[in-house]
Every structure is written in C-alpha cells, then in structure tokens.
Amino acid sequence: MTRPTSATSSADAPLVSVRDLTKHYGGGRGFLGASKFAVKAIDGISFDIAPGETLGLVGESGSGKSTTGRVVLQLESPTGGDVLFRGQSLVGLSPRQLKPFRREMQVVFQDPYAALNPRMTVGDFVAEPLIVHKLAKGSERADRTAELFRRVGLDPAFMKRYPHEFSGGQRQRVNIARAVAMEPSFIVADEPITALDVSIQAQIVNLFQDLQESLGIAYLFVAHDLSMVRYLCHRVAVMLRGRIVEMAPTEAIFTDARHPYTRALLSAIPVPDPDIEANRRHLAYDVDANPPAPDAALREVGPDHFLLA
Amino acid sequence: MRSFFSALLRSKAGLFGWIILSIFVLAALLAPVLGLDSPVRGSLSARLDPPTWTGLFSPGPHPLGTDQLGRDILSRIIYGSRVTLAVAAAAVILGGIVGVGLGIVAGYFRGMTDRILMRLVDIQLAFPLMLLALLVVAALGPSLRNIIIVLALTSWIRYARIIRGQVLAVREREFVQSARAIGSGTLRIMFRHILPNVLTPALVVGTLELARVIIMDAALSFLGLGVPPPAPSWGRMLADGRTYLSTAWWIVTFPGLAIVLTVLSVNLVGDWLRDYFDPKQRGLK
Amino acid sequence: MIRYLLGKLAESAIAIWGVVTIVFFVTRILGDPSALLLPIGASPEEMARLQADLGLDQPLFLQYLSYLGNIATGDFGQSFQFGRPAMGVVLERMPATMELAFTALILGTLLGVVAGTIAALNRGRLAELVVMLFALLGQATPVFWLGIMLILFFAVDLRWLPTGGYGTPAHLVLPAFTLAVFVSASIARLLRSNLLDVLKEDYVRTARAKGLMPRVILVWHVGRNALIPVVTMIGIIMGELLGGSVVTETVFSWPGVGRLIIQAIETKDFPVIQAGVALIAFIFVVINFAIDLLYGLLDPRIRERR
Amino acid sequence: MTAPLLEVKNLSVVFDTEGGTVHAVNDVSYTIEAGETLGIVGESGSGKSVHVLAMLGLIPRPPGRIVSGSVLFEGRDLLKLSEAELRNIRGGRIGFVFQDPMTSLNPVLTVERQLIEPLTRHEGLSRRKARERAVELLDLVGIPSADRRIGQYPHQFSGGMRQRVMIAIGLACSPKLLIADEATTALDVTVQAQVLDLVRDLKKRFGTTVIWITHDMGVVAGLADNVQVMYGGRIMERGPVRSIFKQPHSAYTWGLLRSLPHGETRLTKRLYQIPGQPPDLTEPPVGDPFAPRNPFATPRCFTETPPLRQIEGMAPGHQVAAWYDLPALLAAEQGTER
C-alpha cells in the first residue's frame, strides 16, 4: 500500500467530485393525488476531495450534511447532479455496477450502537466485506480479520463476541475495522465521535488520523463539532439549508470567515477556557430572515476560499 | 443457553407456562403408547359415566368420565390435543412464513409493493376474522387441510403488519446502510441483516397467534365446521356436551379446561419470550 | 386534520369494497343455491329458469358488477329462506347483536381500565397479581366455554338466570358478562403495560419535577398517553365481538345477526350471508373510522400528519 | 457567613439490577452557596445526573436506592422528607430543566397547560392569572408572540424553542435553585449559544442558584463559578472554574482538558488520549476509580480511595481526590523529556 500520505493540493486530479448535487424528499404525488411539498435536503452543492485529503462538512441538524454523505456514497440516489469517483460518474449505476466502487468508498456512522448488527459476531461483521467481494477465504480470512482488529486497537480474541458486550468506543473501532477491511481510498465519516464519551473521543480521532497516515485514505468528515474539525480537516465546507455557504482551507475558515453564518457558528463553539469564554460574544444569525439566496453561487474570494454570494 | 434456563427459573409464570405446555405436547406425542381407551369407539354400557374420583357410580376406569357414546373423555382430550396442536402449529407456521416473508418484502422495498400489501391487510382487517374463517370453511368444506389454510389465512396479517413495521425500523439502522455500502446484495442484506433482527418479534407474534388460533379452531369445531369426525376435537366435544349440560357436566368441563390451560401456557411462554428477548428488560429489573 | 380525515375515509371505502368483493366470491364457491330452492325432482328446464331469474347464468364478472351495483343501494336480493329482502332480515336482527356487543364493550372497558390501572399502580403487590391472574385467565378462556360454564352454574344449577334467549334484562346478564370478561382481560393487560411504559417517560419525570400531585400526573400526563393505544385496541375488540357473535349467539340462543348467518350458511341462503357479513363489516369499518377520529383528537401529532 | 443553600453529605446511590448492584454514586459531599453556579462535569455513568435526581426523589425506586447520606436544603434534610413534602419543594423552591426537550414535554398537552401547572400548584394562582404569568414567562425566555404560541403543542416548536419552554417551566415559581441536566446537549451549537446567553442573563437578573450538569467542558467554562468533576460515581476534583481549568490536579480533569483540541491544527501535535474504557460500576474498582486509566497512578491509588482535600497553594475551595501530586509529576516529566 503506497499511496500519497499527505494532503495533495486540489490542483491534482480529485478523487471525489461532487457537481451540483441535489436531493429532494417528497414532492411526488401523495395519496388521493394531493401533491406534497418537497424538502430540499441538498440544494445544488459542488466540491472536490483530493486523494488523502480530509474535507470537513459542517452544519447544524437539518443542514443536509449527513444526507450529502449518503448521496455521495450512492446509498441514496440524488435528485439531480453528479458524483464522480476518479472521474467516473456513479449516478444511475446499478448495484452490480457500483460494486467495484464499494471497495474504494466506505462509511463510518455516528451511532456505534445502531451501526453494528446485534445478531452477528463482531468478527463476522468485520469480515463481511471480504466475503462479499470474495477477497479472502477460510483461515486467510480469519487472519486478515484478526489483523484488522489489531490495526484498530482491538484484541482479536474479541472476534467471537456480540456487539452488546462492547462499550461505545470499542464498537466504533469495530465499525472502523469493517470500513478499512477493503483498504478503501475514501471514507465518509458521519459524525463518528458525537455519540462517544468525551474521554473516548480523542482515541477515535487519533485512530482516524493514524489510518489516514498509513493508508492514505481521504475523508469526508461530517461534523458539528468545529474544534475537532479544525484539528482533523484540511479544508472545511459549511452547510446551511442544503447549500454550501462557505468553503476554504481550515485555517482560512477559522481566521478569516467571510459568511455571517460561518462567523455565528464559530462564535458559538464553547471553548474550554474560562478567560476566553468570559469575554465572548455570541453572534446571532437568523436563517429564516436570511436564507441562502436561490440564485447565489460559490465565488472564489481568496486562495481556495469560496463564498456563496 | 445457560442464561436461557437461569432466566426461565427466575420467572415463575414463564416456568409454569413452559411446564404445562410441555406436558400437553408430550401427552399428544406419546398418546398411542399411554395405554388409553380408544378415543373414537365407546361402549354403550358406559354412556355418560361420571369421573371415577367423584365417588358417584362409575363402573369403568374413566378418570374424567365418558360421553354420550360411552367414550373415555381423558382419551378424547389427549387425542384431541394431537389434532388441535398439530392444526394450530401448522397454521401458525404457514401463516408465519407467508406473513414474515411479505412483511419483509413490503418493509424492505417500500413503495408500491408496500402500499398494495398493506391495503390488502387493511381490507382483511376490516373483515372480522371469525366471519372470514367461517365463510371460507363453509365454502371449501371442513377438512383438516382446509382448516389449516383458513386459520393461516387469518394469521398472516398480524405477522405481516408487525414484521413490516420492524423491517421499516431495521432497514434504517446503520448496519443495514453499512451492508449496502460494502456492496452486499439484496438477498444477503435480507437474510443476514434483516431477518435475524426480526425473528424475535416474529416468534412473539407466533406464540400470540398460536393461542388465538387454538381458540378459533375450537370455535369452528364448536360450530360444526372443524376437523370432521371421527377425529376427536375439543370444540366439538363442547358442542356435543351442551345437550347433556344438566345431566353430565363433565363432558363440557374438561375439554374446556384443556383449552384454557393450553392457551394460558402458550400466552405465558409468549410473554416470557418477549421479556427474555427484550434487551430493555434484561439487566434492568 | 381534514387531510387526515379524507385519507381515513378513502381507506374505509376501499376496505368496504374489499370485504364485499371477498364475500361475493366466497359465497359463489359455496355452491349453487338453485338446487336447494327447488323441490326434489325438478326438471332441468325449471332449474335453468330459476338460474336465469337469479342471474346465475351470466358470466361471473357480470354477476359481480350487478352485485356491486345492487348493494350500493342496499339491495342484496331476496332471502331464499324467508322470501323477503335479505337486508331487511339482517337489519331486524341487528339491534340484538348491537345491544349485546355494546353492553359488553362498555362493561368490559370500564372493568378493564379500572383493573389495569390498579395493577400498574400496585407494581409487585397482591393487587397486581390478582388482576394479572384474572386477565391471563380471561384471555385464555374461550368465550363459548365460559358461557357454557356460566350457564351450567347460574342457569342450570342455581336457576337464577335463563339459559338463553332474548327479551328481558335477565337474558342479557350472562352473555354480556361473558363477553365483558374477555374484553376487560385484554384491556387490563394492555393498559397495565402501557401505563408502566408511560410512567418511564421523560415527561412524567418532568411532571414529577414540577411537584404535581400524583392524581394530576396520573390523569393528565400518564392516563391520556396510555389510553391512546387502548383506543386502537377497542377497535380490534369490536371486531372480535362482532365476528364472535356467530359463536356467542349460538351459545346463548341470542337472536342476532350471528346466529342468522350460521343458519344462512346451513341453508345456503346466499343473500342473507352476503347482507349479514357485509353489514357487520360495514359497522366495523365505521367504528374503526370513529376510532381514528378519536385518535386524532387524543393525539395532536396525528392531526398534522399526512 | 450564612449557611449554604444546599449541603450534600456522604450521598451514595445504588441500582439493583439482574447483573448485580450498580454503585452509581459513591460518598459524594459538597455545598452550594446561594447565588452560585455550579457546573458538574462528567461522562455517562459518572453519577453526575443520578445523584441530583436521587436527592429529589426523581429516580425510579426500585431499582434505585439511596444507601446513605444527607442533603440539607434551606436547613431541611431532603432525604428525610416525605414524598408530599418533597413535592412541595420540587417545581417550587427547586426548578428543573432536562436534557431532551422533545421527550421531556408531554406531547399531548399544550404548552399552556404544562406551563401553568407549577403556577397553580405552588403559587395558588387562578387559571387566568397563571396564564398571564405564563405568557410573561415565555416572553422572558425569548419566545416571540408568546400570547399566540402558548396554545400550541410541543411538536409545533423547534428544538431551541422547546428548550426555552422547559426553562420557563423550570423558572415558573422563581425557584431558589435551578437544576439543569444536560440542558443544551440535544441542541445545535448556535442554539446552545443562545440558550446559554439566556441562562446567563436570567441568572444576572434573578440571582438564581444554578446546578448545571453537562459533559461539555466548554459549556462549563463559560457558565460556572465553580466546577465539580465526577468520575465513576465520585467527585474527582472541585473548585473555582479558573483554578480548575488553569491548573487541574486530578489526572482525569487534566486528561479531559488535554484531549480537547484548543484551536490547534493536526500538524502541530497528536491529541492526548485517555487510555482504556470507563469503569464497570457493578464491580467498582477498589481505590481511585480512575486509577486503571491513569498513567500517574501510584500503588496506593489501587488500594485506598483518596479523600477530597483542599490543595495547598491553590484557590480556596479547590479540592482534589488524589494520592499523587499531578503538577509535580508533570514538571518531572517535562524535565526528563528535555
């Protein structure tokens, strides 16, 4: 496995490209022919992710950030737009046609309790990708599974156990082991530390980093915790009501935020320092009064720094 | 398995249910070797003999008395349980396979498939089950096979509804999404990820249905639309005994008690299974 | 709310259509009634004429269409047995059936709600045990057997009440009580487990944190939420009472629609079977519609859905 | 010096489960002065919520059981009061705000009904008077057009607005003490910031004493006067907020603070991680509950439970339960690294 380990600049060919992606829910004809309102979960967003890069996707509940992750992976089909992986369009492919791409793109979910099949041993669960893609059989499969367990910091002796015997942090390690089983080049991490205890979060964040360094994985890191995003991501995209309102290299977002919503978001993060907190002013942003304009587009306002205007 | 038995020992009601049910099932299985009188051939000299233990005049060894044709009631109850339990179990399993299958299909594929299936369920639910059973048996004729089909017909809907609801919840669970993300096929997702997670509710529905079906089977027999004679059946024993209510109370009493005990034990086992499998109830008590 | 109602109304209409369709085709399998209607030894010509009169010579689908058209106006045809409109025959028997079903339902619901509440509030005490034992036995006992036993005891042995029949309040006591046992057992069990679930809800803790009196919490915060599923249960029970009327009315010689249907099946009186089953299903659908309405009133979240 | 508003002494709470007895709260003692805001920090299973709910009779019993202790509130021992007497205090002298405003409000009752309940119960107001007051309260917590919205049901409010309703209920009878249990955890950050601003403002205006229970060190830093860090059912460290954040003396507090990014980027350093898993409280570890995960643990930490003691040279009230001297150990470590 030799892949670029550090972030390459976005001038290189992107690993993942998202173009004008939209996802609307409802909107079809309801019962008795009444037409329902469409909810625009994603409303025309575009971004690229370079190999080995981490893009943070930040927003509040209902911003469409988690939906974006699922649509990028084609777990849900988009209403419009395109998702390209190594330049190939994924939209409209059949499950069979998607299968080779599945080896390359994986996912880690937020809730480590819901993400494990309670009726499967964790060993079988981690090994499932190897079975589905016929990558290893018999003792070789067991060996590779054990190796995966070690890689994520779990004792391979746990392989025969069921999920309910594990704590939240351990479960999330199991999920990560499954996600990296096929040595993917891209992982969507959907709020992977939000549901964990504070004393465990750093363990998982470090694990993500270690895996990126050793395997060169690119991440789409969906989160609402901006301080972790600052720590983990190369670039950050801020979502609001299904739109990306600002996207820039991490430091630019944190030191030179242009969009008022980004600023409001930044001002709201609680900082574990009483002196800073004592003099903080929270900026308010009334989304209902200032929703992202339908005709606005992302424009470059600085090096690699885009703003919806 | 050890936790299964230790959990059982801790629940008196569950234990009671399992024991009674086991006794009935064992008696039914072993009926031919128990040395019972014939359940179908009686002796006219022994008509309407009261149970031995009542101390009333009773020439023959009939612990629960005899009926109007001089047949031993205990023997008829035990042989009747063979028919009843077999019919009920077959109906519940048949209904379960159909209901769980359709429930999974509806819940997993959603959309049109789901809507059509659920409308069908709604229509059938608008039809009081007893009337439906009665009509269909009357139409097809009361044979063993038809009774099983009819009872299964009244049974599949509850499975389908509950399993569909469960599948709708399970398919949104992240491990199912994860299975799709690794490229698992639909069949693999259904059998490896969804089915194992809805089997427990299916089992619980199954016990509830078993209890209901036993009663309905008895009711059909009671109305003369059950498994045809000479096979002994609890429901028909009740119907026959009604005529002799004032002279021979035992004819109606004991088959009825057999129904109550069986249904009670099935219900207790069902309740216990639900508690046993419900992780919320385990650990916290 | 309007949208919710319209949706439910449409569902009800489809359900009724489904029921009458099933009834039509199932009764066709029952056999040819013309053989029964004619005296033995009737000629084939007479048979053919009767079949033509009854419309039985037409293709099944056309028969079905004219059947749908007729029943839309309440016309199920003439009863073969009584020689009068079938619906009229059924309607005459309906009051008896409804009288029994509603008496049992009201009695059983009251009993079940009280018993279930007592059980839930006395967790782990004797009262809970007694109620649960009663409820378990009540659910396990077939209504027809309980009926026979009660007749044996109160009518045959003690001679306090009539063994069967219809007319005086005394006639109503045994059948109504028998059914009420079944109704209250189901409701008591369901309500108890609902109450125990709701008592664990966060909003009950909030109510306790406000220092509210236990009675206020029970009635306003727990009771209302726990009763919502009971309302649904009442719909299911009503189905069992109406459908089960064929059995109960046989046990107690109660002259209602249930017994009429049994007689009609025995004599292959198609129009009466169709009218009886369709009417019971119709009443059941109407009751369920009313229950959906009640549901919407009890739970404000439902009103906005759909 | 007047008596403290609340004085908790040696409180222990257990839960009897099939898997054994869970020792949820172990020998917890502390005091709160009137007007103070105490932030109680800990992760799930630390006992931070349970001990507060337990002392007001709000945990289910069984399985919960208070094993020992006393809780003096305005001179009376809450643990010795009858349920009826406790009822008079809850919602009146002591108000509550719970975590999830979605599940903590009754879905089938209007906001009006739920808001006037404490007013009619404790203040004896008539329904009409109570309604007027309820509208004022909604106004106070920043709900626009309160007069109209009061008749709506909880599901018609957004998450943040619902939590404002919860706060209005908690403050309805002008309580001496307001207990907020993870009150902003379920909210988005910007909404959380607004709610925190609201609480700070209300505190300033009414001088309410507040217990703010949370897992978020950042929230505590901005809100609390004093902080109390709990782990494994025990208090690990407590004291004035600045003193705790500037120089933690418990390895757990130190680890928590170090494992959070402080605005640095990944290139600067790896995050410090606390090793291991939270303790299993059916078999509480002997000695210091954090010892198995503590790189600085001494042999004594595994055998003997450290008492909470005032740290010499630190702000008054800065107490720690530890057998080791963390600042000294850290200084030594830095010395060896150089």
Side-chain angles (χ1 to χ4, degrees):
Chain A
M1 292 281 332
T2 45
R3 285 181 187 156
T5 54
S6 66
T8 44
S9 86
S10 50
D12 288 345
L15 182 69
V16 179
S17 293
V18 170
R19 292 283 162 264
D20 286 323
L21 198 65
T22 55
K23 175 72 184 173
H24 298 178
Y25 289 106
R29 307 235 102 190
F31 193 73
L32 288 176
S35 68
K36 295 182 209 154
F37 252 116
V39 179
K40 296 178 178 175
I42 313 175
D43 194 12
I45 61 173
S46 304
F47 58 82
D48 289 341
I49 300 174
E53 183 191 35
T54 305
L55 173 67
L57 195 58
V58 174
E60 306 200 325
S61 48
S63 63
K65 59 185 192 299
S66 290
T67 309
T68 303
R70 287 200 299 274
V71 174
V72 166
L73 291 175
Q74 299 298 306
L75 294 175
E76 289 179 41
S77 46
T79 310
D82 205 354
V83 177
L84 305 165
F85 189 83
R86 296 195 200 280
Q88 284 172 278
S89 172
L90 303 180
V91 174
L93 295 189
S94 69
R96 186 183 299 261
Q97 290 167 317
L98 272 173
K99 206 168 165 183
F101 292 99
R102 296 283 183 214
R103 285 183 60 176
E104 295 267 5
M105 335 187 289
Q106 273 309 305
V107 61
V108 175
F109 287 110
Q110 171 177 3
D111 181 354
Y113 292 84
L116 297 184
N117 184 342
R119 301 257 179 258
M120 238 171 158
T121 65
V122 293
D124 285 349
F125 194 67
V126 169
E128 193 179 16
L130 304 178
I131 300 168
V132 169
H133 290 270
K134 303 188 176 66
L135 294 180
K137 273 191 178 152
S139 67
E140 194 204 337
R141 187 155 75 213
D143 290 346
R144 277 184 67 172
T145 311
E147 175 52 35
L148 285 165
F149 269 63
R150 275 189 286 274
R151 172 155 245 161
V152 298
L154 286 173
D155 185 346
F158 290 166
M159 278 162 56
K160 291 253 159 35
R161 298 200 187 170
Y162 285 89
H164 68 261
E165 299 174 60
F166 294 90
S167 69
Q170 290 170 319
R171 285 166 190 242
Q172 202 58 299
R173 287 177 191 271
V174 172
N175 281 314
I176 294 170
R178 173 169 159 115
V180 297
M182 294 180 290
E183 304 185 337
S185 49
F186 173 57
I187 289 180
V188 172
D190 187 358
E191 306 228 25
I193 59 168
T194 309
L196 302 178
D197 271 327
V198 187
S199 74
I200 301 298
Q201 291 184 354
Q203 295 179 1
I204 300 300
V205 165
N206 284 335
L207 178 59
F208 272 111
Q209 280 229 52
D210 295 345
L211 291 169
Q212 183 165 56
E213 274 160 29
S214 58
L215 300 174
I217 302 170
Y219 293 119
L220 177 63
F221 192 81
V222 178
H224 70 264
D225 182 342
L226 282 164
S227 47
M228 277 303 177
V229 165
R230 181 175 198 176
Y231 178 72
L232 257 173
C233 302
H234 300 102
R235 283 188 305 138
V236 178
V238 180
M239 277 187 86
L240 177 67
R241 296 262 168 107
R243 307 287 297 271
I244 289 178
V245 294
E246 188 163 7
M247 178 160 64
T250 306
E251 273 319 291
I253 285 280
F254 281 84
T255 56
D256 185 25
R258 304 288 180 89
H259 197 279
Y261 176 69
T262 313
R263 290 188 197 163
L265 207 53
L266 288 170
S267 79
I269 322 168
V271 178
D273 184 329
D275 292 330
I276 295 177
E277 279 290 325
N279 305 310
R280 234 126 145 256
R281 264 196 53 236
H282 295 136
L283 302 173
Y285 184 81
D286 188 349
V287 196
D288 293 309
N290 303 295
D295 54 345
L298 279 182
R299 275 203 323 225
E300 190 151 11
V301 291
D304 228 9
H305 191 151
F306 297 88
L307 183 69
L308 190 75
Chain B
M1 228 30 204
R2 219 176 65 216
S3 76
F4 179 87
F5 286 114
S6 68
L8 187 54
L9 285 174
R10 244 173 293 148
S11 157
K12 287 186 200 100
L15 191 64
F16 178 81
W18 275 109
I19 289 175
I20 299 291
L21 191 60
S22 309
I23 291 175
F24 269 98
V25 171
L26 273 180
L29 290 175
L30 298 177
V33 299
L34 288 178
L36 297 162
D37 292 355
S38 162
V40 286
R41 218 167 317 140
S43 84
L44 285 180
S45 62
R47 287 184 70 227
L48 301 178
D49 276 357
T52 332
W53 47 267
T54 55
L56 299 169
F57 172 73
S58 175
H62 301 296
L64 302 181
T66 60
D67 67 4
Q68 70 282 4
L69 297 176
R71 295 172 297 195
D72 181 55
I73 289 186
L74 177 65
S75 165
R76 280 178 70 74
I77 287 179
I78 291 177
Y79 276 93
S81 75
R82 284 167 79 93
V83 181
T84 298
L85 290 178
V87 165
V92 166
I93 291 170
L94 187 64
I97 291 171
V98 173
V100 172
L102 290 178
I104 289 183
V105 169
Y108 187 75
F109 290 109
R110 300 188 294 189
M112 212 51 193
T113 327
D114 182 35
R115 242 172 288 160
I116 292 172
L117 269 168
M118 286 305 112
R119 257 310 85 80
L120 210 61
V121 166
D122 280 349
I123 289 173
Q124 210 188 309
L125 277 179
F127 213 134
L129 292 181
M130 189 65 213
L131 282 186
L132 183 69
L134 196 67
L135 265 186
V136 178
V137 175
L140 300 178
S143 72
L144 190 70
R145 193 198 59 190
N146 288 351
I147 300 285
I148 291 175
I149 290 175
V150 164
L151 293 176
L153 189 67
T154 66
S155 182
W156 75 276
I157 35 178
R158 192 168 335 167
Y159 286 102
R161 253 162 71 109
I162 291 178
I163 297 305
R164 168 186 173 267
Q166 296 280 332
V167 172
L168 283 178
V170 171
R171 85 188 294 283
E172 297 308 318
R173 295 272 297 274
E174 289 163 345
F175 64 82
V176 176
Q177 304 250 348
S178 162
R180 293 176 53 212
I182 64 165
S184 302
T186 305
L187 282 180
R188 184 178 181 86
I189 293 176
M190 279 190 181
F191 280 96
R192 288 285 286 167
H193 291 287
I194 291 183
L195 185 64
N197 283 290
V198 299
L199 273 184
T200 304
L203 196 63
V204 173
V205 175
T207 54
L208 295 176
E209 282 298 289
L210 189 64
R212 191 186 62 74
V213 160
I214 289 173
I215 291 186
M216 189 174 266
D217 170 61
L220 285 174
S221 296
F222 179 76
L223 294 174
L225 290 166
V227 180
S233 115
W234 294 348
R236 188 162 333 89
M237 289 168 79
L238 291 184
D240 292 347
R242 278 180 74 208
T243 326
Y244 304 91
L245 205 52
S246 50
T247 49
W249 54 269
W250 51 90
I251 306 183
V252 286
T253 304
F254 295 114
L257 273 180
I259 299 176
V260 173
L261 272 178
T262 318
V263 173
L264 181 68
S265 61
V266 170
N267 274 336
L268 288 175
V269 167
D271 285 355
W272 180 82
L273 281 176
R274 186 179 46 206
D275 290 350
Y276 175 71
F277 285 116
D278 184 357
K280 265 185 294 180
Q281 305 243 342
R282 254 197 291 178
L284 263 175
K285 189 149 190 192
Chain C
M1 189 72 186
I2 304 264
R3 190 166 251 190
Y4 171 74
L5 282 185
L6 283 177
K8 287 290 169 198
L9 209 58
E11 281 174 24
S12 304
I14 293 175
I16 289 174
W17 164 78
V19 168
V20 295
T21 303
I22 295 173
V23 169
F24 173 82
F25 286 104
V26 171
T27 42
R28 278 298 170 271
I29 311 173
L30 270 172
D32 188 340
S34 37
L36 289 167
L37 289 172
L38 292 168
I40 297 167
S43 68
E45 289 79 40
E46 282 174 303
M47 181 81 108
R49 194 165 349 111
L50 184 68
Q51 284 178 338
D53 282 353
L54 295 172
L56 292 173
D57 57 343
Q58 287 180 317
L60 197 59
F61 186 67
L62 284 182
Q63 289 186 38
Y64 172 63
L65 283 186
S66 68
Y67 161 84
L68 279 188
N70 288 335
I71 63 169
T73 61
D75 178 10
F76 282 82
Q78 299 277 311
S79 160
F80 303 154
Q81 217 180 333
F82 300 93
R84 290 187 286 133
M87 194 40 118
V89 175
V90 172
L91 281 174
E92 277 168 21
R93 300 287 200 97
M94 208 62 212
T97 298
M98 297 309 271
E99 180 186 337
L100 180 53
F102 276 103
T103 312
L105 185 71
I106 292 165
L107 195 66
T109 306
L110 289 177
L111 210 65
V113 167
V114 171
T117 312
I118 289 175
L121 295 186
N122 290 282
R123 199 81 229 266
R125 297 201 207 121
L126 184 67
E128 188 195 26
L129 188 72
V130 171
V131 169
M132 291 316 289
L133 217 58
F134 164 81
L136 275 167
L137 280 172
Q139 277 197 319
T141 308
V143 166
F144 49 94
W145 183 67
L146 181 64
I148 295 172
M149 286 288 114
L150 291 177
I151 291 172
L152 179 65
F153 194 68
F154 290 102
V156 176
D157 280 1
L158 296 174
R159 295 181 184 281
W160 288 357
L161 294 162
T163 55
Y166 178 67
T168 68
H171 286 102
L172 183 62
V173 174
L174 279 185
F177 180 74
T178 307
L179 290 174
V181 167
F182 155 76
V183 174
S184 63
S186 309
I187 290 188
R189 283 195 74 187
L190 179 72
L191 183 61
R192 170 185 163 275
S193 74
N194 284 346
L195 282 171
L196 292 179
D197 284 348
V198 173
L199 281 170
K200 288 185 207 134
E201 293 283 350
D202 287 349
Y203 54 77
V204 174
R205 189 179 60 181
T206 308
R208 305 218 313 120
K210 289 192 231 173
L212 300 184
M213 302 305 276
R215 193 168 15 88
V216 176
I217 297 178
L218 183 67
V219 173
W220 281 92
H221 290 267
V222 182
R224 202 160 155 192
N225 285 289
L227 277 176
I228 291 174
V230 172
V231 168
T232 315
M233 183 72 168
I234 286 176
I236 296 169
I237 286 174
M238 208 51 207
E240 304 231 0
L241 288 180
L242 290 172
S245 66
V246 289
V247 184
T248 339
E249 294 180 2
T250 305
V251 173
F252 292 101
S253 312
W254 190 264
V257 181
R259 254 180 96 208
L260 180 68
I261 290 175
I262 295 284
Q263 286 167 11
I265 286 177
E266 281 162 9
T267 55
K268 301 208 190 237
D269 191 348
F270 287 2
V272 171
I273 299 175
Q274 288 172 347
V277 173
L279 187 64
I280 284 186
F282 179 74
I283 291 171
F284 184 42
V285 168
V286 170
I287 288 171
N288 272 320
F289 181 68
I291 279 171
D292 282 335
L293 282 190
L294 192 58
Y295 207 88
L297 288 179
L298 280 175
D299 191 340
R301 288 164 299 181
I302 302 278
R303 282 175 229 160
E304 287 174 18
R305 238 182 266 154
R306 185 161 284 169
Chain D
M1 178 137 179
T2 52
L5 181 69
L6 185 80
E7 185 170 6
V8 182
K9 273 191 201 149
N10 308 106
L11 182 64
S12 292
V13 182
V14 300
F15 285 84
D16 299 309
T17 71
E18 279 185 21
T21 303
V22 175
H23 298 263
V25 179
N26 301 304
D27 199 22
V28 164
S29 305
Y30 61 92
T31 58
I32 303 174
E33 305 296 331
E36 169 185 345
T37 297
L38 173 68
I40 302 184
V41 189
E43 46 200 17
S44 51
S46 64
K48 60 185 192 300
S49 305
V50 167
H51 86 273
V52 173
L53 295 176
M55 64 199 192
L56 287 151
L58 289 175
I59 54 165
R61 282 176 294 183
R65 196 149 52 82
I66 295 174
V67 189
S68 68
S70 65
V71 179
L72 293 176
F73 174 72
E74 297 184 322
R76 291 199 288 173
D77 186 351
L78 295 178
L79 301 187
K80 291 210 173 72
L81 295 185
S82 69
E83 175 62 21
E85 288 169 309
L86 269 181
R87 266 203 298 275
N88 287 332
I89 291 177
R90 289 196 303 251
R93 310 292 290 163
I94 301 180
F96 287 87
V97 180
F98 292 113
Q99 171 172 1
D100 187 347
M102 184 75 202
T103 59
S104 295
L105 290 171
N106 193 325
V108 304
L109 298 180
T110 60
V111 164
E112 172 177 352
R113 163 92 212 176
Q114 301 189 56
L115 189 46
I116 66 172
E117 273 175 343
L119 294 165
T120 51
R121 164 78 178 83
H122 296 287
E123 312 258 283
L125 297 185
S126 68
R127 275 196 76 126
R128 213 167 52 85
K129 273 268 163 56
R131 189 182 189 278
E132 282 170 21
R133 177 96 177 88
V135 174
E136 285 171 25
L137 280 163
L138 287 187
D139 242 0
L140 184 74
V141 296
I143 292 181
S145 41
D147 196 39
R148 181 176 58 82
R149 301 214 65 184
I150 194 168
Q152 296 185 331
Y153 290 92
H155 69 270
Q156 293 166 302
F157 288 73
S158 70
M161 286 295 156
R162 250 183 249 139
Q163 198 56 300
R164 285 170 192 263
V165 171
M166 273 301 288
I167 292 173
I169 292 174
L171 289 174
C173 302
S174 319
K176 291 300 280 184
L177 174 65
L178 182 72
I179 298 174
D181 184 4
E182 298 270 15
T184 56
T185 306
L187 305 177
D188 277 324
V189 268
T190 51
V191 181
Q192 165 172 282
Q194 291 161 14
V195 170
L196 290 176
D197 283 343
L198 170 70
V199 172
R200 266 189 287 263
D201 178 48
L202 294 172
K203 235 174 48 167
K204 221 177 284 168
R205 284 165 68 180
F206 302 107
T208 314
T209 312
V210 177
I211 296 183
W212 194 273
I213 301 166
T214 181
H215 67 277
D216 191 330
M217 295 295 268
V219 169
V220 164
L223 195 67
D225 303 316
N226 289 301
V227 180
Q228 175 166 308
V229 181
M230 292 187 69
Y231 184 84
R234 291 182 185 277
I235 300 175
M236 304 301 287
E237 182 166 18
R238 59 169 279 138
V241 63
R242 278 204 166 65
S243 190
I244 295 263
F245 275 80
K246 293 301 168 205
Q247 202 167 63
H249 279 66
S250 161
Y252 177 62
T253 318
W254 177 82
L256 274 189
L257 286 171
R258 271 202 71 192
S259 68
L260 299 169
H262 287 69
E264 61 272 80
T265 56
R266 54 192 280 140
L267 303 171
T268 42
K269 66 163 200 224
R270 204 178 138 86
L271 277 184
Y272 173 78
Q273 63 183 55
I274 299 175
Q277 304 293 327
D280 174 7
L281 292 178
T282 48
E283 292 165 43
V286 184
D288 184 341
F290 188 61
R293 301 174 70 185
N294 182 1
F296 304 106
T298 63
R300 198 176 178 190
C301 295
F302 291 93
T303 54
E304 213 178 322
T305 310
L308 201 60
R309 56 174 171 84
Q310 169 70 38
I311 308 160
E312 281 170 48
M314 295 301 295
H318 191 162
Q319 300 169 294
V320 71
W323 292 124
Y324 47 85
D325 181 359
L326 188 67
L329 290 167
L330 288 172
E333 200 174 65
Q334 267 186 345
T336 56
E337 268 173 28
R338 273 177 202 155

